[in-house]
Amino acid sequence: MVRLCIVFAALVGAAPAIAQAPAPSALSFEDAVNAAERAAESIAVARAEVDRAEASVSSARAGYLPTVNGTASYQRTLKTQFENISFGPPPAPGEEAPTNALPFGQPNNWNVGLQLNAPLFDGFRTRAGLRQARSGVRVAQLGVQSTKAQVVLQVAQAYFDATLAQRQVEIAEVTLTQAEQTFKDTELGFKNGATPEFDLVRAEVARDNQRTMLVQFQVQRDVSLVYLRRLIGMPVDRPLTLTTKLDTDDVETVVATARVAAGVHAATRIAIAQAKEGVALREAGVDAAKADRLPIVAAVSDLGFVNYESQPFNGEWFTNWTVGVALQIPIFDGFRRRSQIKVSQAQLAGARAQLAEASEVSQVELAQAAANVAASKKQLEASVRTAKQAQRAYQIAELRFQQGASTHLELVDTRVQLEQAQLNSAKSARDLRVARLRQELLPGLPIGSAAGF
């Protein structure tokens, strides 16, 4: 009775610890891509770039608006050339000296004012700068879309890499169970004198090799899951169960989910659209450089209030107000403007060359992506057919071995072939999904993203 109480108390004490263990989180492919968009720092950086570009538009537009500045100053004159000049007869005895309203030689000088500068003509500099800023906004917005497509493809590869790694573990575990059963049967036959020691040693070596392979696959699975957790913003030590498998016919569903998450709908590649905006930006840069040759005309006004008393708020303030037009004509700057025009024209030529190259490479990558999908489909069909044949061959070999009609070597070779065929089938299923995803997301991916799995 005492022992039962002790056991019960131990179970009750262990219950909270068991309850605190986190349950595995079920994660589908759709959940993964949605979580990755929220957790991706690269998307946040791209959106911040859009905010910066939009602020640049406001800054460029300010060139059309007047500027108003307030000024305030105080000046104390210690010694002046006007100190011996008389501005009137000296005061009579007992009278105060008259206050001089002239600015010459005053010991105190208080000045408060407003300055206005309204542009009338700036040589089209503001227009060119505004075109540059707006092109920058469009490039940044396209960058957000491209970044989202890259994030979706990245998390998709990580998800199916982890799924493949888990499938490899499952295959290795089944193969290890088969190898252990073969070793037990061989060991029993050896004890009964029906099996030579050579077969027993081979069975033991095959089982141990399979254990090593299982450990390697488990490490790959754990590393893949850690990487996937990082991409979706999940704690790296949280248990995770992947619900989207490789052995289901859901390729088009996966592709549709990725397309919606990435927001890729345009037929034209974002990289080409960015290159076109780059050309427009450089064209505006050439216009801005040429605009530096033109004069600048502005309306100016200066409103000032002056006081010469030691206590300015007790005295009289005098008003100065001027209006006018200012003209600035560039004459000679040491050929700096000419050099800047040449630099801008060279940048424009480079942007046009990049656009042409992007268009050519894009056509090649479209064909390459389609070829990768076609090859992946054929490989999957062949690997599935091979895996079925290998499964049937292993069943026959196992039956022949149990009946004594074949050797242990034949059984081991057949089992190795079955495991390899199943691994190839799982990898082909993963490659097809990634190839279709890459093909579907290619409009949003940067140039050079068609190849590779």
Side-chain angles (χ1 to χ4, degrees), residues 191-240:
K191 291 180 179 179
N192 295 331
T195 303
E197 182 181 3
F198 176 73
D199 287 351
L200 177 63
V201 173
R202 285 186 59 86
E204 185 176 7
V205 171
R207 180 200 62 185
D208 294 342
N209 286 339
Q210 191 59 39
R211 285 177 177 172
T212 301
M213 183 175 293
L214 175 60
V215 171
Q216 294 175 350
F217 286 151
Q218 288 173 339
V219 171
Q220 293 178 11
R221 176 200 59 190
D222 295 342
V223 172
S224 299
L225 289 174
V226 168
Y227 181 61
L228 177 60
R229 291 190 191 99
R230 188 192 71 81
L231 291 179
I232 63 176
M234 179 180 291
V236 295
D237 57 347
R238 185 172 180 178
L240 190 62

Side-chain angles (χ1 to χ4, degrees), residues 371-387:
N372 288 338
V373 171
S376 298
K377 288 181 178 179
K378 292 181 180 179
Q379 290 176 356
L380 179 59
E381 293 173 357
S383 62
V384 170
R385 183 172 57 254
T386 303

